[in-house]
Amino acid sequence: MFVDRRVELKVLHSAYDSLRRDEKVNVAVIGPRRIGKTELLLKFKKEAHGVVAYLNLQRIGSLESFIFAYARELLYEIANALGMRPERSELLTWDDLLILSAKLNLDREVKAIKEGTLGTLFEMQELILEKTEQKAVFILDEFQEVLNFKGFLETMRAVTEKQRNIAYFVSGSAVRMMEEILAPKNPFFGQFRRIYLRGLPKEDTIALAKTTLERAGVDTTHSALELIYNLTQGHPFYVLALCRRLIEESFEKIRRKDVHYAFLTELLSEKGDIYMHFEYLFNESLSRAYKGPIHKQILLVLAQEEGLRLSDIAKRLNKPSGEVSNYLKFLLRTDLILRQEDRYYFADKLMRFWLAKTYLGITELDLRGERFLEELIKELEEKYLRAKKELGIAKEAVIRERMREAFDLDFKPYRRGEVEFDGVAFDDRIYVLEIKWRNKPATYRDVEEFIRKVKNEFGSAVMFFFSKFGFTEKAKELCEKEGVKMLTPKDLEVR
């Protein structure tokens, strides 16, 4: 189900419009599983007019099957754009494609693809698009799967970099692997504009939950809707799974207690969609691990106590630190955990709670016990929700809202691994916001560190630096030199 992603959808349409003006823009949509990447890309495909091909690389088993599937989708979309309306179900073999290519007067190009290599495929597509006078966007879903094909990225980059008739929209659920593909040391560095998909903002989450429940004739309170946001953190899959559970439980009017019960049932009962989602992630992430049971042990250790150092984990497993370090490197690549200041944490606190409780063997009967349920709720709120009441965090939200009003940019908190920014907005360019809410001016070192982080993470971006007490003279000089836009409470009318 597609949920409201106005800003992200606008970026995709803008990139397509740029391609039509001979200004090629590739886009990478990155985010965890079930966050809405595929739905966003398919929504764009549905709205766009022209040649927009889609291919999910998780369904591709070999390079040969990739070449065939890629050629089939490209020819199918071109034929549709030219009014031929072929049936995709009839394009099952190379002979089927050759028949279609004859109708399109593309016999030579398609025969070359059939008999050639990956490089041939990418070379011929430009000739095909020139001959048919088309511009194309090719959507490659779960793009990290190309790492299974040796030399794929190098070949694709070398051939397609200068092509003007095609742009790529790629997506990936393996966030760290996608970051590696786009990193400076790899072929596609600087070639893709990035869109990071995260949970929906509070107002959109509440609107989604309220609409879903009202369509089923279920009434609720605003307090219950706010709790839905707090529990799910706006993750659309969690929101919809929780709403379905609430509908199935047939509550007359949903209250906070009902939301807590339904959420814990979804999370900890084997019949819950969220439970099955985490089970799939957990098992799928470890499926390629040679030492799967050891990796599972490490995760169970962190589920009981986060923030452990390598030496702490090695001691608990009774294994050498060097050996455990290799296991942790694998787990970091799965996006299950992250490292901050040499300590290890779960990337998703909810998964930590799920794993810790699942291995205790909690049953649905346990969840029916009111006292046990209250204890679980208390632990969930303390370990996972943990209300953020600090003044600085509250002020950050206010400042991001003021920035939206002043600059029409939707800044959202940004976190990837060890990198954090107070606000990042993706529009025609990348915009990054730093907020210093403290009783002293921002220093040269503050600004210097901010600039370094932005350049390491994004290469280039429009930079805003908000400081409650202004800037030192040296900090101002550095901002002016590097093009950092300085802001104070007066500029945004923040008190």
Side-chain angles (χ1 to χ4, degrees):
M1 176 180 178
F2 177 78
V3 297
D4 193 13
R5 298 282 190 182
R6 295 183 299 272
V7 175
E8 294 84 355
L9 198 56
K10 180 180 177 183
V11 172
L12 297 180
H13 281 292
S14 176
Y16 191 24
D17 292 340
S18 295
L19 176 68
R20 289 169 158 174
R21 297 193 302 269
D22 290 325
E23 300 169 7
K24 178 175 177 175
V25 179
N26 298 319
V27 180
V29 181
I30 303 172
R33 292 185 188 277
R34 308 304 295 267
I35 200 71
K37 299 180 301 300
T38 299
E39 289 82 358
L40 172 65
L41 292 167
L42 293 179
K43 177 71 170 177
F44 161 75
K45 175 175 167 54
K46 184 178 179 180
E47 293 181 354
H49 299 288
V51 180
V52 180
Y54 172 87
L55 194 58
N56 187 327
L57 298 185
Q58 279 192 322
R59 302 171 185 170
I60 304 298
S62 67
L63 188 58
E64 291 73 21
S65 62
F66 170 83
I67 291 172
F68 173 78
Y70 187 106
R72 180 186 63 188
E73 294 305 316
L74 183 62
L75 291 176
Y76 173 78
E77 294 296 343
I78 288 174
N80 269 311
L82 296 176
M84 290 188 178
R85 303 289 184 268
E87 291 291 335
R88 184 186 275 106
S89 60
E90 295 177 0
L91 301 176
L92 302 177
T93 67
W94 278 110
D95 287 342
D96 298 330
L97 291 192
L98 288 170
I99 292 171
L100 178 59
S101 69
K103 296 177 182 178
L104 294 167
N105 194 27
L106 298 171
D107 311 57
R108 185 181 66 83
E109 291 80 4
V110 176
K111 285 179 182 176
I113 293 171
K114 179 188 175 186
E115 298 167 1
T117 62
L118 181 67
T120 309
L121 168 68
F122 291 132
E123 288 169 358
M124 289 299 107
Q125 76 175 356
E126 186 74 355
L127 296 177
I128 288 171
L129 292 168
E130 286 179 0
K131 204 167 182 179
T132 56
E133 298 182 337
Q134 299 293 320
K135 299 280 189 180
V137 165
F138 213 117
I139 299 171
L140 295 174
D141 210 350
E142 298 298 346
F143 188 62
Q144 73 275 352
E145 295 297 322
V146 302
L147 295 176
N148 295 324
F149 305 138
K150 186 176 180 181
F152 186 103
L153 295 176
E154 292 79 3
T155 300
M156 183 178 176
R157 162 73 191 275
V159 180
T160 65
E161 181 184 10
K162 302 298 182 182
Q163 293 182 350
R164 309 314 306 170
N165 292 314
I166 190 161
Y168 291 96
F169 292 175
V170 304
S171 82
S173 297
V175 176
R176 190 171 290 267
M177 292 173 72
M178 286 295 295
E179 291 293 343
E180 289 177 3
I181 289 172
L182 304 176
K185 63 181 179 180
N186 287 324
F188 279 120
F189 175 66
Q191 298 295 307
F192 284 82
R193 176 166 181 196
R194 304 180 198 186
I195 297 176
Y196 290 90
L197 283 196
R198 292 178 176 78
L200 300 171
K202 183 176 181 179
E203 57 271 24
D204 289 352
T205 301
I206 289 176
L208 173 63
K210 187 176 182 181
T211 300
T212 303
L213 293 170
E214 286 181 347
R215 283 177 181 168
V218 178
D219 193 16
T220 186
T221 64
H222 186 73
S223 175
L225 291 170
E226 286 193 326
L227 181 58
I228 290 174
Y229 169 72
N230 290 336
L231 290 168
T232 64
Q233 293 297 293
H235 193 302
F237 176 74
Y238 301 166
V239 174
L240 293 172
L242 176 53
C243 286
R244 284 194 295 268
R245 174 68 53 192
L246 288 165
I247 292 167
E248 290 169 7
E249 293 292 339
S250 302
F251 295 113
E252 290 183 6
K253 185 171 185 177
I254 294 169
R255 304 184 189 282
R256 290 177 61 87
K257 182 180 178 181
D258 304 323
V259 174
H260 273 130
Y261 167 74
F263 184 72
L264 288 171
T265 301
E266 270 297 309
L267 179 62
L268 301 179
S269 167
E270 291 186 4
K271 67 180 183 181
D273 289 341
I274 299 177
Y275 178 103
M276 288 189 284
H277 170 65
F278 279 139
E279 186 174 50
Y280 169 79
L281 282 183
F282 185 67
N283 292 324
E284 194 272 341
S285 296
L286 298 183
S287 63
R288 298 172 185 171
Y290 175 65
K291 297 281 189 178
I294 301 297
H295 292 94
K296 191 172 291 187
Q297 279 184 276
I298 292 173
L299 292 172
L300 286 170
V301 167
L302 290 175
Q304 295 302 319
E305 183 180 355
E306 280 192 309
L308 298 177
R309 297 182 186 275
L310 168 60
S311 57
D312 300 324
I313 299 171
K315 187 181 297 183
R316 297 189 185 200
L317 295 176
N318 196 27
K319 292 186 177 295
S321 293
E323 181 182 344
V324 175
S325 176
N326 289 328
Y327 300 145
L328 287 167
K329 287 176 183 177
F330 171 85
L331 287 172
L332 286 169
R333 284 177 58 85
T334 66
D335 297 320
L336 291 176
I337 66 171
L338 52 86
R339 183 176 62 204
Q340 292 180 329
E341 298 179 356
D342 294 326
R343 295 180 183 274
Y344 294 87
Y345 302 85
F346 268 85
D348 187 334
K349 304 302 181 190
L350 189 56
M351 174 171 261
R352 177 196 172 192
F353 186 82
W354 170 82
L355 186 59
K357 298 307 169 191
T358 297
Y359 277 79
L360 291 177
I362 290 175
T363 67
E364 188 173 353
L365 184 61
D366 292 326
L367 294 174
R368 294 285 179 181
E370 189 165 336
R371 184 174 177 182
F372 184 72
L373 187 63
E374 288 175 357
E375 290 175 357
L376 279 178
I377 290 169
K378 183 179 179 181
E379 186 176 356
L380 175 65
E381 290 177 338
E382 288 178 353
K383 282 192 173 182
Y384 175 57
L385 300 179
R386 192 169 290 159
K388 299 176 180 178
K389 297 180 179 178
E390 297 88 349
L391 177 63
I393 293 177
K395 286 297 182 183
E396 286 178 11
V398 172
I399 292 165
R400 284 191 291 269
E401 182 60 31
R402 293 286 190 272
M403 292 292 290
R404 182 189 298 180
E405 295 170 358
F407 298 98
D408 194 28
L409 293 170
D410 188 17
F411 283 97
K412 295 180 181 178
Y414 176 97
R415 180 174 180 176
R416 184 189 65 80
E418 301 173 22
V419 180
E420 288 189 62
F421 290 105
D422 297 319
V424 175
F426 298 95
D427 198 69
D428 57 322
R429 298 179 63 184
I430 298 173
Y431 299 81
V432 187
L433 171 65
E434 177 76 0
I435 300 170
K436 291 295 182 187
W437 191 265
R438 62 190 185 190
N439 295 328
K440 63 179 183 178
T443 66
Y444 181 96
R445 181 172 292 182
D446 292 331
V447 177
E448 182 182 47
E449 175 64 15
F450 172 57
I451 294 170
R452 182 192 65 78
K453 280 175 57 182
V454 171
K455 290 184 176 180
N456 286 345
E457 183 70 4
F458 300 114
S460 65
V462 179
M463 294 176 281
F464 293 91
F465 199 118
F466 177 95
S467 175
K468 177 184 177 183
F469 265 65
F471 301 79
T472 65
E473 288 303 317
K474 288 188 176 181
K476 288 180 182 177
E477 291 174 6
L478 182 58
C479 285
E480 291 171 357
K481 178 183 176 183
E482 296 290 339
V484 178
K485 303 179 188 302
M486 294 175 281
L487 298 167
T488 62
K490 184 178 179 181
D491 298 312
L492 298 179
E493 298 181 357
V494 178
R495 296 180 182 181

